[in-house]
Amino acid sequence: MHTDSTEPATRTSSGSVTRARILGAASELFYSHGIRATSADRIIEKVGITKVTFYRHFRTKSELVVAYLEEQAAAERAWMRSVRRESDPAGTLRALAADIGAASCRPGFRGCAFINAASEFADPDDPVRRAVDAHRRWMHGEFAEIAAEAGAIDVDSTSRQLMILRDGAMVNGYLDDPKPVDESLAAAFISVIGL
């Protein structure tokens, strides 16, 4: 019996496209309406698929939320790499502040996806909260590297302060006028690292 060798690749490719469409729709809805407020049925309707197809790609909504956060984390890691200035911690912090300020001025900005998710999932053992915590540990590590480059005496304390400033800027940009966020954040970042 002869089988078409392209069939599995086509099926996998089609499955990958469908998974990406589900994740794209979920990301948009989770960010704009909230995770708990967005039902699987709403995502299924937006994508135009059946429940069977949805659950073939994501066995649970929690699994989908974790995938959403992992995608957000990958994007944030790429962004951080793109703004890092080797041996220039002040330049890195200014670039971070400018981008956070610009992001908070965009229409539809609703703050940090990780802070938003953490506010909806309080249980530290929930897979969603573990994904949030993993990303925040990574971000804390990035700020620690920047603090070390700046010659901070207490790298851990300095990185925590930078993290608090970043979190505050994300919330402030959502709740208040976002335009002055980048200048205020840059000044605060530079003040904390003492440059």
Side-chain angles (χ1 to χ4, degrees):
M1 180 176 160
H2 176 70
T3 59
D4 183 355
S5 62
T6 62
E7 184 181 326
T10 303
R11 189 177 306 135
T12 301
S13 175
S14 174
S16 298
V17 169
T18 302
R19 186 180 195 285
R21 287 179 49 229
I22 293 167
L23 190 52
S27 295
E28 179 185 320
L29 292 168
F30 289 160
Y31 188 74
S32 60
H33 299 287
I35 295 169
R36 293 202 188 272
T38 301
S39 67
D41 287 339
R42 188 169 184 186
I43 297 164
I44 289 165
E45 181 182 330
K46 184 170 180 69
V47 178
I49 57 173
T50 65
K51 284 185 179 188
V52 170
T53 299
F54 176 87
Y55 288 111
R56 185 179 311 131
H57 293 280
F58 297 98
R59 292 173 298 166
T60 65
K61 182 179 172 187
S62 182
E63 189 177 300
L64 175 59
V65 175
V66 169
Y68 155 69
L69 291 173
E70 287 172 349
E71 188 174 76
Q72 296 297 312
E76 200 154 317
R77 285 190 301 273
W79 163 67
M80 285 283 280
R81 281 191 300 273
S82 76
V83 298
R84 286 293 294 264
R85 312 283 192 265
E86 285 298 317
S87 304
D88 182 9
T92 296
L93 292 172
R94 283 188 192 97
L96 288 171
D99 282 2
I100 290 170
S104 63
C105 290
R106 281 195 321 256
F109 179 76
R110 293 198 62 241
C112 171
F114 298 94
I115 293 172
N116 295 346
S119 72
E120 293 192 57
F121 294 85
D123 179 359
D125 294 325
D126 188 288
V128 171
R129 189 56 185 261
R130 287 196 307 263
V132 169
D133 293 343
H135 179 68
R136 291 187 60 79
R137 279 191 304 277
W138 170 83
M139 182 162 279
H140 185 278
E142 289 293 302
F143 280 129
E145 286 180 18
I146 294 167
E149 287 175 9
I153 294 169
D154 186 343
V155 170
D156 186 59
S157 176
T158 302
S159 66
R160 288 186 190 288
Q161 291 172 46
L162 294 171
M163 189 77 163
I164 288 167
L165 289 169
R166 177 255 182 214
D167 290 348
M170 296 297 280
V171 173
N172 190 63
Y174 174 56
L175 296 176
D176 292 326
D177 181 10
K179 292 187 189 307
V181 168
D182 64 344
E183 291 176 9
S184 298
L185 181 58
F189 275 164
I190 300 307
S191 175
V192 165
I193 63 170
L195 294 178

